[in-house]
Structure formats: structure tokens, C-alpha cells
Amino acid sequence: MASNGTWDFWIDRGGTFTDVIGRRPDNTLVAHKLLSEHPQAYADAAVQGIRDLLRLTPDEPIPAGAIGAIKMGTTVATNALLERKGERTLLLITRGFRDALKIGYQARPKIFARHIIKPEMLYEEVV
């Protein structure tokens, strides 16, 4: 796919590292990895990764029209949920469904176990 003389970026921001893949105007790909948090060096890893691949100096603005597309994904929120870290959470749900997440699909590793240990709910309260 031609890039019309612009760069395209795909970014994955994780809890530790941010990976940036750039497609140059000549359609070659280049990868770059940065720490997701490094306040002494940069405010935002995704922006810094783009700036690094464009080889911009710290004072140089990103040129208008240099970028065709940026697509970004993150695992930060997913990891916070899995690790049970973060802020207290409230579940807002339609009346009659307050137990839907607790009930789930009834899937469990030992279908005939008499003592079932369910994981703690991610939310603190339901409204």
C-alpha cells in the first residue's frame, strides 16, 4: 500500500514498554521501543517514539502533513484489571442484570466440584 509520501504509525503502549512501528514514505518498516514512563526524558512515549522515528530535535515541531495515520492500542487498563490495581469501581447496569457478571457463563475447570472458589468481582458496588 502506498503511503502518499507520509509516515504511518502503529503503537502498542504497555505498562513497561511502548513499541512503535513506523512505515516510512518509501514503505519500509522500522521499529522503535521506549519506556512507557520516563518523565525525565519525555512526557509521552507514543509521541516521543514518533518524534524519534522522524528524527526530530527536541524543539522541532512535527511537520504538518508528515503523518498519514496513527493507530494505537494499549494493555495498560487490561493489566490493571487483571492485577486488581487501580481505582475503586462502580458497575452501572440495566435493572435485572446486577448479578450477570457474577453468574457469568457457569464455565469452570472442575464442573462437578462442590466447593467453587470464584474470583473477586472487579467492581465494589452495583447500581
Side-chain angles (χ1 to χ4, degrees):
M1 174 193 268
S3 64
N4 299 324
T6 61
W7 281 78
D8 291 326
F9 295 96
W10 296 269
I11 302 167
D12 176 24
R13 188 194 187 286
T16 305
F17 293 104
T18 295
D19 297 296
V20 181
I21 305 295
R23 181 171 54 206
R24 295 180 174 125
D26 67 3
N27 286 326
T28 59
L29 298 176
V30 60
H32 189 48
K33 183 183 284 277
L34 304 98
L35 287 171
S36 292
E37 298 288 331
H38 194 0
Q40 301 84 357
Y42 43 80
D44 184 276
V47 173
Q48 187 62 43
I50 291 170
R51 294 182 61 76
D52 290 349
L53 290 178
L54 293 174
R55 298 183 184 204
L56 299 174
T57 64
D59 326 343
E60 211 173 346
I62 295 175
I67 299 173
I70 299 173
K71 297 182 181 179
M72 184 168 171
T74 181
T75 57
V76 174
T78 303
N79 290 344
L81 288 172
L82 292 173
E83 296 168 4
R84 304 290 203 262
K85 294 180 179 174
E87 299 298 320
R88 294 168 44 205
T89 306
L90 170 72
L91 173 64
L92 294 170
I93 195 162
T94 304
R95 182 174 303 197
F97 291 93
R98 83 179 299 119
D99 293 330
L101 292 180
K102 193 177 280 188
I103 294 168
Y105 294 105
Q106 294 294 318
R108 50 189 186 268
K110 296 180 182 173
I111 192 80
F112 298 110
R114 290 178 165 218
H115 181 55
I116 300 165
I117 300 171
K118 293 185 176 185
E120 184 180 326
M121 291 288 102
L122 296 172
Y123 50 86
E124 184 176 307
E125 187 179 347
V126 180
V127 175

